[in-house]
Amino acid sequence: MLVGIEAKENQRLEIQCQLDAARTQVERNKLGQFATPTTLAMDMLVYAKSLLPLDQGIRFLDPAIGTGSFFSALLRTFPTECITSAVGYEVDTGYANQALEIWGDELLSLHAADFTRAKPPEMDDEKANLVICNPPYVRHHHLSRDDKQRLQKLVQQYAHIRLSGLAGLYCYFLGIAHAWLAENGIAGWLIPSEFMDVNYGEQVKQYLLDHVALLRIHRFNPTDLQFHDALVSSSIIWFKKAKPPANHIVECSYGGTLTMPDVSGYIAADLLRSTPKWTKFPFIEKTEKHTIPSKIWLHKQPAMNSLILADLFEIKRGLATGANKYFLLHEDQITKYAIPSEFLTPVLPGPRYLISDEIHADSLGNPLLDQRAFLLSCDLPEEEVKSRYPSVWQYLQKGKAAGIDQTYLCTHRSPWYMQEKRPASPLLCTYMGRHCANGRKPFRFILNHSKATATNVYLLLYPKPFLSQEMKSRPELATLIWQYLNTLSSDTLKDQGRVYGDGLYKLEPRELANVPVDSLSHLLTNRLIIPSQISFDFA
């Protein structure tokens, strides 16, 4: 029997490759078709076996079965006589038909249908006691407004949470499947790790902590991509459909594989509840590799009155032009179209073009860089531009001919060539990055002596009024703060940010604002009342 299953698995893998090759990446993105690797599917079913009572018949459900990687692993992990039923849903008829061809003579009941539109069983003994799923990784912008409203209502009805409109389709699958899982049933979900850190993930975390008994969170190393064709950082969430007990403890693991993680330990659910970003767990640095601590981790939380960057700076994303190649002009273009300086603002190039993290300026405030760019922005009506600045008007017509005025951001500006206000800031932080082989950190802090603004590949740090006043009286203070910020460890910044596939780290303004910077207090001279009403004694 097992030999026959192995042959079918090989057949499935061949068909999977053919199906994937027949679809463009755009088509697969819209349907979220990213197949689970065989080894990962086996790892999940082996682990599921350790969670289920030995004498319990398995009622299996995969709401997004694809060609059946999890069903194949089920047959290779559990004896056939232990499997009471197996149900799968697949919305893509191409995948569903091929899965039926492979598994049609097995006990699988496969439905070529949209799981989110199917009616869940009413009787508990008809529901699954083992749900294993790699739900479609479809981002919210691929979902229509009507679909979002329909899915939100279903999740609220079944799981009693209201998902954000920014949630991906996998979040809706998780909530809807609650109605399909029997009491005390086990669920294992292979989903993107991003829900642990982003705002739309708050309701998912609420569901995991309040409506089920969360058993384990395994997060893969972001550089160890589980899907060769999707740059997504993956995790596996395990829970039981049961009320979480008092003083509930959750296992957290990281890296390696599910059954052999690089690090693993336990954490109180209450601590998860009070922690905005779950990707900071487990605490890796002090745990030996390939060991599972027997004690509960006691992670130190930031002191209640600790100083954070938000106390000192207003942090904003750099400006989004909507068409950098058009609105960011080099000096030869400025000369060609005779664009006056009043419509131009110097702008920093992208981080990869900055050799130094300190930007010096000439007497006009322009950055001293080999290649300089200037932002075009004008608030005059087009007719006035035509009469007073015919060469500028000519350049605007060139943009209209290229359809620049019809791009999303331009259609939301009046006039379409007027940019948002982002004055130069003395300090900037790169928005995203990776660890480099040369040891360079994923995030860089830039000291800006120029009048150059920056695009949205940077975060701009504007000093609060009290700090701005002190920086004016102490010109060296900006340099001292910059030097301090560059001593922050990568982990300090990554703990606040988020990570994507292939080890890409990102920081949003509010995330950078939460970075603790207690030692900065020693650089300031006065006892100040921080806007958050926290007082600090400054040396």
Side-chain angles (χ1 to χ4, degrees):
M1 175 65 178
L2 190 57
V3 175
I5 298 303
E6 293 292 351
K8 288 190 174 187
E9 172 62 12
N10 290 334
Q11 178 190 2
R12 187 192 70 80
L13 289 172
E14 290 180 10
I15 290 174
Q16 183 73 55
C17 290
Q18 294 169 5
L19 288 169
D20 290 347
R23 288 164 169 76
T24 66
Q25 191 69 19
V26 172
E27 289 172 331
R28 295 178 64 204
N29 283 341
K30 286 184 177 180
L31 286 175
Q33 286 285 16
F34 300 102
T36 308
T38 299
T39 52
L40 179 53
M42 279 296 297
D43 217 26
M44 288 184 67
L45 268 296
V46 168
Y47 184 76
K49 191 174 184 178
S50 70
L51 299 177
L52 292 165
L54 295 176
D55 58 348
Q56 187 177 60
I58 304 301
R59 302 191 301 276
F60 172 83
L61 170 66
D62 183 346
I65 198 166
T67 57
S69 56
F70 286 129
F71 178 68
S72 176
L74 176 78
L75 295 178
R76 285 177 289 157
T77 305
F78 291 88
T80 306
E81 59 270 19
C82 292
I83 304 173
T84 303
S85 63
V87 177
Y89 280 85
E90 177 53 50
V91 69
D92 189 318
T93 54
Y95 284 79
N97 290 338
Q98 291 291 347
L100 281 170
E101 184 175 325
I102 300 168
W103 308 111
D105 58 345
E106 302 296 338
L107 50 76
L108 177 64
S109 174
L110 195 150
H111 303 270
D114 182 350
F115 171 72
T116 69
R117 296 181 182 277
K119 185 179 180 181
E122 294 183 2
M123 304 299 293
D124 201 62
D125 59 3
E126 296 176 349
K127 297 181 180 183
N129 58 14
L130 177 61
V131 173
I132 303 288
C133 188
N134 168 17
Y137 183 52
V138 178
R139 292 189 176 276
H140 74 92
H141 51 263
H142 288 311
L143 302 175
S144 70
R145 183 174 183 177
D146 289 344
D147 259 345
K148 285 184 182 180
Q149 292 177 346
R150 176 182 66 85
L151 293 168
Q152 284 174 328
K153 288 179 181 178
L154 286 174
V155 171
Q156 193 161 23
Q157 176 185 348
Y158 294 152
H160 309 296
I161 57 171
R162 172 78 176 176
L163 287 177
S164 162
L166 300 179
L169 185 57
Y170 72 93
C171 300
Y172 295 106
F173 263 67
L174 185 68
I176 292 171
H178 186 83
W180 293 73
L181 184 60
E183 292 299 317
N184 296 310
I186 298 295
W189 290 84
L190 174 60
I191 58 178
S193 300
E194 64 185 37
F195 85 90
M196 301 185 195
D197 292 343
V198 296
N199 290 337
Y200 77 72
E202 288 300 315
Q203 294 85 5
V204 177
K205 290 186 283 189
Q206 175 194 344
Y207 168 77
L208 294 174
L209 291 173
D210 296 340
H211 299 280
V212 295
L214 182 59
L215 303 176
R216 182 177 176 185
I217 303 168
H218 177 77
R219 188 164 57 90
F220 291 99
N221 188 320
T223 61
D224 181 16
L225 293 177
Q226 301 304 301
F227 302 93
H228 68 87
D229 47 2
L231 292 180
V232 56
S233 179
S234 303
S235 61
I236 303 176
I237 308 300
W238 293 95
F239 58 83
K240 177 188 286 190
K241 188 176 180 180
K243 183 179 179 180
N247 302 317
H248 186 45
I249 301 299
V250 179
E251 182 178 0
C252 291
S253 56
Y254 175 85
T257 65
L258 180 66
T259 52
M260 190 176 289
D262 288 342
V263 57
S264 183
Y266 300 86
I267 187 169
D270 285 345
L271 185 51
L272 283 174
R273 194 185 311 278
S274 63
T275 304
K277 293 183 179 294
W278 287 7
T279 52
K280 65 169 57 181
F281 302 123
F283 188 62
I284 298 169
E285 291 83 350
K286 295 185 179 180
T287 309
E288 295 296 324
K289 191 174 181 179
H290 299 312
T291 63
I292 299 179
S294 59
K295 64 181 180 180
I296 298 172
W297 292 326
L298 298 175
H299 293 275
K300 292 183 178 180
Q301 297 297 293
M304 285 299 293
N305 291 339
S306 64
L307 186 68
I308 60 176
L309 275 176
D311 294 321
L312 304 175
F313 294 93
E314 189 78 29
I315 301 175
K316 295 183 178 294
R317 280 285 294 276
L319 59 90
T321 69
N324 283 355
K325 290 184 179 180
Y326 177 78
F327 288 112
L328 303 186
L329 305 179
H330 296 291
E331 288 167 303
D332 57 344
Q333 294 172 293
I334 294 170
T335 301
K336 178 180 179 180
Y337 290 98
I339 298 177
S341 60
E342 63 193 271
F343 299 151
L344 298 170
T345 302
V347 61
L348 294 179
R352 62 179 172 170
Y353 299 110
L354 287 186
I355 298 174
S356 171
D357 289 344
E358 185 172 10
I359 308 300
H360 295 283
D362 63 17
S363 59
L364 298 176
N366 297 322
L368 293 174
L369 299 169
D370 291 338
Q371 289 188 340
R372 297 193 297 192
F374 294 82
L375 173 71
L376 171 63
S377 182
C378 174
D379 59 1
L380 300 177
E382 195 164 342
E383 286 302 314
E384 186 174 348
V385 174
K386 183 178 180 180
S387 62
R388 295 177 58 189
Y389 306 97
S391 61
V392 178
W393 181 81
Q394 181 185 354
Y395 187 71
L396 296 181
Q397 299 315 297
K398 181 181 177 182
K400 292 178 76 172
I404 301 297
D405 62 325
Q406 296 304 311
T407 59
Y408 177 80
L409 288 179
C410 290
T411 59
H412 287 74
R413 299 194 297 240
S414 181
W416 61 269
Y417 42 83
M418 183 178 69
Q419 306 295 333
E420 59 184 327
K421 304 299 182 184
R422 283 292 185 274
S425 64
L427 293 162
L428 304 94
C429 180
T430 53
Y431 165 59
M432 67 177 72
R434 290 183 171 87
H435 276 294
C436 299
N438 61 8
R440 193 159 198 170
K441 298 176 182 179
F443 301 106
R444 298 161 58 189
F445 286 94
I446 311 297
L447 178 61
N448 182 23
H449 298 288
S450 77
K451 294 180 180 178
T453 185
T455 62
N456 55 2
V457 293
Y458 293 97
L459 303 180
L460 284 65
L461 284 73
Y462 297 103
K464 295 284 182 76
F466 69 89
L467 180 59
S468 179
Q469 182 179 355
E470 183 157 0
M471 290 173 74
K472 288 177 182 177
S473 63
R474 296 174 57 203
E476 78 283 1
L477 185 56
T479 300
L480 293 174
I481 293 174
W482 168 63
Q483 291 172 340
Y484 167 81
L485 292 175
N486 276 316
T487 67
L488 294 174
S489 71
S490 295
D491 289 338
T492 297
L493 295 168
K494 290 190 300 186
D495 280 352
Q496 299 301 329
R498 59 194 70 178
V499 62
Y500 293 85
D502 200 26
L504 177 66
Y505 294 92
K506 291 184 181 180
L507 270 174
E508 296 292 348
R510 284 192 296 179
E511 294 167 342
L512 180 60
N514 284 325
V515 170
V517 288
D518 285 318
S519 295
L520 269 182
S521 62
H522 301 297
L523 298 177
L524 304 181
T525 56
N526 302 311
R527 178 181 175 86
L528 300 171
I529 302 300
I530 305 299
S532 60
Q533 303 303 310
I534 302 170
S535 61
F536 297 87
D537 286 311
F538 299 124

